[in-house]
Amino acid sequence: MFPNIILLWIAGIAIVSISYYFDKEKTKQGVNKGIKIFKGLSSPFVNIMIIASIILVLVPPEMIEQYLGGDSGFFGVGLSAIIGSVTLIPAFIVYPIASELLKRGASYMVIATFITTLLMVGVVTYPLESKYLGKKVALIRNVLNFFAAIIIGLLIGAIM
Amino acid sequence: MKKYIKEYGFILLFVIFGILSYIYSFAFGIKASKTFLDMFIEMISFIPIVFVLVGLLDAWIPKKKFEKYMGPESGLKGTLLSVIFSMFQAGPLYGAFPIVYILYKKGASVKNIFIFLGCFSSLKIPMLTIETGYLGIEFTLARAIITVPLFIAIGYLMDYYLKNKDFKVTDPTESN
């Protein structure tokens, strides 16, 4: 966690400096836009973290380990794939929760499956998607992505 | 005033709850506050720089230029551009469909449309940056490296399946 953050800041400051060197106006414009996005997202972000921290305290770590841990096997992966497919939460909100679950004993395989299905499969947005792509094509895309997401989850679980 | 209550009311309530928990040694409240504080510090320690980078990306990348080079004859270059173009996007998956419609209108191939859609869902740079901060560079890289070939495969599969099927991307906002 910690070295990653330092790396991010070093890379970030370097990129901002290079950008400033080449184009002051564009850089100012871009940085301002970024700050604006951050301000807009910060309160929903904090709200979701409050809810997550209350739930995480209520749910004992043993339970997380039992249902989402390394020994949960097919059940854990299947459960997280289904939950990931039917929920519609912005990814950036899911990462802090995923990181807390990992610290509390969830396995990489389960977390990776949950994140990938969440990103790639959209049951809630299927009606909208089918308006653009047609019902059949949207269905095929979601089904293919569902299996691709499980493959990704299993492979990450095997690597990490 | 009402707007502020709606936006920050819940946060304020939780802060008061946390302080009271500490004063009266309420174990559950203390635990929840500690968990929240950990998450908050983690967030504030790197999310601001991510969004500054997102803003910069938006100011520098001329997105319009990509659209022209994703047609059926674009070959490997088109595939590569579809992946790169998707990485410079932001927002949830349903925000991708209107872009897909524009790509379709500009003559992008079926294969590239689905590669774009797939990579849009899971390879956006802003998202990858946040992912790196929370889950580590190994996780993020592993996921990205496994994901790209799968989406290229899905692109080819869709292309093959829809070959003689008169596939169209329609814009629901236009028809009615």
Side-chain angles (χ1 to χ4, degrees):
Chain A
M1 179 75 220
F2 209 58
N4 281 327
I5 285 179
I6 295 173
L7 211 74
L8 245 166
W9 277 95
I10 293 172
I13 290 167
I15 290 168
V16 174
S17 321
I18 294 167
S19 165
Y20 189 78
Y21 175 78
F22 282 107
D23 194 329
K24 279 182 191 169
E25 214 31 62
K26 247 186 198 166
T27 307
K28 271 185 201 157
Q29 204 186 320
V31 169
N32 280 335
K33 190 168 182 205
I35 292 171
K36 217 176 120 192
I37 305 174
F38 175 66
K39 272 188 186 160
L41 287 176
S42 58
S43 88
F45 210 120
V46 171
N47 280 337
I48 219 82
M49 288 196 303
I50 292 174
I51 295 168
S53 51
I54 291 172
I55 294 173
L56 283 171
V57 173
L58 287 174
V59 179
E62 300 82 46
M63 207 168 132
I64 295 174
E65 221 179 315
Q66 189 189 339
Y67 290 108
L68 306 175
D71 298 327
S72 63
F74 187 74
F75 175 79
V77 171
L79 184 75
S80 58
I82 291 167
I83 295 176
S85 300
V86 297
T87 40
L88 183 68
I89 332 168
F92 70 93
I93 278 175
V94 163
Y95 288 122
I97 300 169
S99 134
E100 285 302 313
L101 286 173
L102 280 173
K103 280 178 211 158
R104 285 170 162 74
S107 75
Y108 273 101
M109 193 178 284
V110 169
I111 294 299
T113 309
F114 173 63
I115 290 176
T116 44
T117 46
L118 182 83
L119 296 175
M120 291 156 53
V121 186
V123 171
V124 182
T125 50
Y126 172 75
L128 179 77
E129 183 174 347
S130 53
K131 276 185 187 150
Y132 281 95
L133 303 179
K135 276 185 186 149
K136 205 169 167 193
V137 175
L139 183 71
I140 294 172
R141 190 201 72 83
N142 276 293
V143 170
L144 281 178
N145 275 11
F146 182 79
F147 288 112
I150 291 183
I151 293 173
I152 296 168
L154 294 178
L155 283 177
I156 289 182
I159 296 171
M160 310 269 309
Chain B
M1 188 63 194
K2 217 174 170 183
K3 197 184 124 213
Y4 283 107
I5 290 175
K6 211 175 153 192
E7 212 173 337
Y8 300 109
F10 187 58
I11 299 171
L12 191 70
L13 225 68
F14 185 73
V15 170
I16 294 170
F17 169 72
I19 293 169
L20 286 178
S21 298
Y22 271 99
I23 295 174
Y24 294 104
S25 320
F26 179 45
F28 170 75
I30 293 174
K31 259 194 195 164
S33 320
K34 269 191 182 149
T35 310
F36 169 75
L37 222 61
D38 282 348
M39 283 171 103
F40 183 76
I41 290 168
E42 197 175 32
M43 184 271 263
I44 210 76
S45 64
F46 77 98
I47 292 289
I49 190 76
V50 170
F51 282 109
V52 165
L53 292 179
V54 171
L56 265 189
L57 210 65
D58 201 68
W60 276 101
I61 304 295
K63 288 181 189 165
K64 288 267 171 271
K65 277 193 183 155
F66 281 92
E67 295 164 359
K68 281 188 253 165
Y69 305 104
M70 287 163 66
E73 286 87 40
S74 54
L76 194 67
K77 194 180 150 203
T79 304
L80 204 67
L81 277 175
S82 307
V83 175
I84 295 170
F85 182 53
S86 73
M87 294 180 77
F88 288 124
Q89 307 289 332
L93 182 60
Y94 57 79
F97 301 125
I99 305 173
V100 162
Y101 175 71
I102 294 167
L103 290 177
Y104 168 78
K105 278 267 147 187
K106 300 220 164 161
S109 69
V110 173
K111 184 190 80 194
N112 288 341
I113 281 178
F114 283 97
I115 292 175
F116 170 81
L117 206 50
C119 294
F120 180 103
S121 70
S122 46
L123 287 176
K124 285 162 292 189
I125 290 173
M127 202 190 79
L128 291 182
T129 332
I130 300 176
E131 187 171 317
T132 306
Y134 275 113
L135 303 178
I137 188 88
E138 295 92 354
F139 182 92
T140 310
L141 271 182
R143 197 179 65 74
I145 290 168
I146 299 167
T147 303
V148 176
L150 276 173
F151 278 129
I152 294 176
I154 288 178
Y156 275 99
L157 229 96
M158 292 308 271
D159 193 52
Y160 175 76
Y161 171 73
L162 295 167
K163 205 151 232 168
N164 302 310
K165 287 210 168 64
D166 191 33
F167 169 68
K168 273 200 282 281
V169 180
T170 48
D171 182 5
T173 55
E174 234 170 43
S175 56
N176 32 83

